[in-house]
Amino acid sequence: MQKINPFLWFDGNAEEAMNFYVSIFKNSKIESVARYGEEGPGPKGSAMSCTFQLDGQHFMALNGGPHFTFSPAISFFVNCETQQEVDELWEKLSEGGEKQRCGWLKDKYNLSWQIIPTALGQMLQDKDAEKSSRVMQAMLQMDKIDIEILKQAYDGQA
């Protein structure tokens, strides 16, 4: 069992969000759903809490009510190996949400994600400060990260 798990607080739509996320990420599955009974406080039969995996990472979700909401201060950073993976996750997760700068987005549940190709980190960590600076400047102009444009900046072609 994973020692530390992200725990997400929702206002009545934890099960819907879990199903949405599981449909997007490979190697994902629903583990359990605990439902409210007669005693509530939620409607009888509605999801109280859910456990699930996204690409092997364990998550927990609670329908805790309107008391707390998500903030961009906490986000999920998704390492992507290919542009196809970036494109697919970017489009699916941002549907009904908000596309933002530098690979960030908010999904329709207001949860923040960073959809980032591993190539970006590699280029930004290059010992050649000029190359990494060009990559940083290119990235700052983007919403969804484009690996080819980053490579062009890295090579001094942009």
Side-chain angles (χ1 to χ4, degrees):
M1 174 168 238
Q2 192 170 288
K3 189 164 189 82
I4 300 173
N5 295 289
F7 188 93
L8 306 173
W9 182 292
F10 291 90
D11 182 16
N13 54 3
E15 187 171 21
E16 176 187 316
M18 172 186 66
N19 289 327
F20 176 68
Y21 300 139
V22 167
S23 76
I24 292 173
F25 289 93
K26 296 175 179 146
N27 188 28
S28 298
K29 65 182 179 180
I30 296 168
E31 295 177 331
S32 67
V33 178
R35 300 196 179 278
Y36 286 112
E38 293 286 341
E39 66 284 349
K44 181 183 176 184
S46 67
M48 176 178 60
S49 63
C50 307
T51 60
F52 57 102
Q53 289 183 37
L54 301 179
D55 203 9
Q57 167 75 44
H58 293 270
F59 287 80
M60 300 172 78
L62 173 73
N63 276 326
H67 314 293
F68 302 108
T69 59
F70 296 121
S71 157
I74 299 290
S75 64
F76 291 110
F77 188 101
V78 183
N79 287 301
C80 299
E81 294 300 320
T82 65
Q83 187 65 50
Q84 179 181 348
E85 185 180 15
V86 169
D87 295 348
E88 184 177 314
L89 290 175
W90 180 261
E91 291 308 315
K92 288 179 178 178
L93 284 168
S94 67
E95 185 179 325
E98 179 185 337
K99 296 174 181 176
Q100 300 177 324
R101 303 294 290 170
C102 304
W104 286 69
L105 64 85
K106 282 186 185 177
D107 67 24
K108 61 186 171 184
Y109 304 102
N110 209 36
L111 188 59
S112 293
W113 298 82
Q114 297 178 62
I115 309 303
I116 307 297
T118 55
L120 174 60
Q122 294 164 352
M123 288 185 257
L124 287 175
Q125 294 174 23
D126 194 284
K127 291 183 189 335
D128 185 330
E130 203 171 294
K131 285 182 174 184
S132 62
S133 178
R134 288 193 306 259
V135 170
M136 176 63 80
Q137 290 307 309
M139 189 241 354
L140 290 172
Q141 304 305 309
M142 298 177 186
D143 289 345
K144 177 179 71 175
I145 304 298
D146 186 310
I147 297 170
E148 189 55 40
I149 293 173
L150 293 177
K151 286 181 181 176
Q152 290 172 5
Y154 182 82
D155 293 336
Q157 298 172 357

